[in-house]
Amino acid sequence: MKRFVIAAALALSSLTAIAANPQVELNTSKGKIIVELYPEQAPISVANFLQYVKSKHYDGTIFHRVVPGFVVQGGGYDAKQEQKPTKASIQNEAKITAEKGLKNDRGMLAMARTGQPHSATSQFYINLKNNDALNYPSFDGWGYAVFGKVLSGMDVADQMAKVNLLPGDTPAEPIILISAKELAAKPEKASASKSSTSK
């Protein structure tokens, strides 16, 4: 019985580790921002974002669009303000994410796109305030898909919004996204998962 209880506890720990939402550290020239992603609510957007993180696409890019009191946006241009090549665009999940409670509120991370609803690729933005107008159905019947939340470093995003801007909402001095990396799971959860799966 004791052996069964231990095995069940290890299995539960393993499930907890698997179910934990991924976190990504955005190391910027203004400081670090840690974001939590929501794969259950926004599977396509999260998988897409993590692909770009793992391929180092974001390293050395800039936050090319800053609108105080609205959003800071990045992920698509290098330091020379040249657009980086991307993977294929993804399906817009705004309706699904909205139904699951994810809104374009302050501190939430969402996919940027063009006027075409299914055009999102690598670009993302952080909401600086509650932007209800961006939620499904928004002004075009589609809205903008939220897929994560700032856990720490919202003050960094606020600092970005204070820089001098050029026409087109471009920062006069580039705000660099030095690197983006997925953070490792907590040691105790990782070890519990390993123990339960080892043979």
Side-chain angles (χ1 to χ4, degrees):
M1 180 66 180
K2 185 177 179 182
R3 191 174 296 173
F4 173 78
V5 171
I6 292 172
L10 286 173
L12 183 60
S13 296
S14 175
L15 286 173
T16 303
I18 293 170
N21 289 328
Q23 294 181 12
V24 171
E25 178 187 274
L26 306 175
N27 182 20
T28 82
S29 53
K30 292 289 184 184
K32 291 183 179 179
I33 299 173
I34 308 265
V35 297
E36 179 181 41
L37 309 179
Y38 300 123
E40 184 178 340
Q41 294 92 331
I44 296 171
S45 300
V46 168
N48 176 71
F49 184 75
L50 285 175
Q51 275 189 333
Y52 283 110
V53 169
K54 290 171 182 175
S55 68
K56 306 294 184 185
H57 172 92
Y58 292 127
D59 296 7
T61 58
I62 59 171
F63 285 87
H64 64 279
R65 182 177 180 233
V66 172
V67 186
F70 185 47
V71 302
V72 294
Q73 180 176 329
Y77 293 82
D78 64 21
K80 295 179 181 177
Q81 301 210 14
E82 294 178 354
Q83 193 162 6
K84 295 187 69 171
T86 63
K87 303 178 189 300
S89 57
I90 61 172
Q91 187 78 12
N92 188 323
E93 293 182 291
K95 181 179 180 181
I96 297 167
T97 58
E99 288 171 350
K100 293 185 177 179
L102 298 183
K103 297 181 180 180
N104 279 278
D105 287 345
R106 174 174 164 79
M108 301 302 283
L109 194 69
M111 294 304 304
R113 61 175 175 83
T114 68
Q116 297 299 318
H118 308 295
S119 59
T121 54
S122 65
Q123 292 187 39
F124 62 91
Y125 62 88
I126 297 170
N127 287 284
L128 296 175
K129 71 175 184 68
N130 293 358
N131 289 311
D132 295 339
L134 299 180
N135 295 328
Y136 173 85
S138 191
F139 50 85
D140 61 357
W142 288 96
Y144 294 76
V146 175
F147 66 96
K149 178 182 181 178
V150 173
L151 289 183
S152 65
M154 194 58 202
D155 58 321
V156 175
D158 289 333
Q159 285 301 313
M160 292 180 186
K162 294 178 181 178
V163 302
N164 293 324
L165 299 173
L166 301 172
D169 304 319
T170 304
E173 181 181 339
I175 302 172
I176 312 284
L177 176 46
I178 300 164
S179 64
K181 67 176 180 180
E182 186 174 2
L183 298 177
K186 291 182 180 179
E188 63 271 16
K189 289 183 178 178
S191 98
S193 175
K194 186 175 180 181
S195 299
S196 65
T197 55
S198 59
K199 295 180 180 178

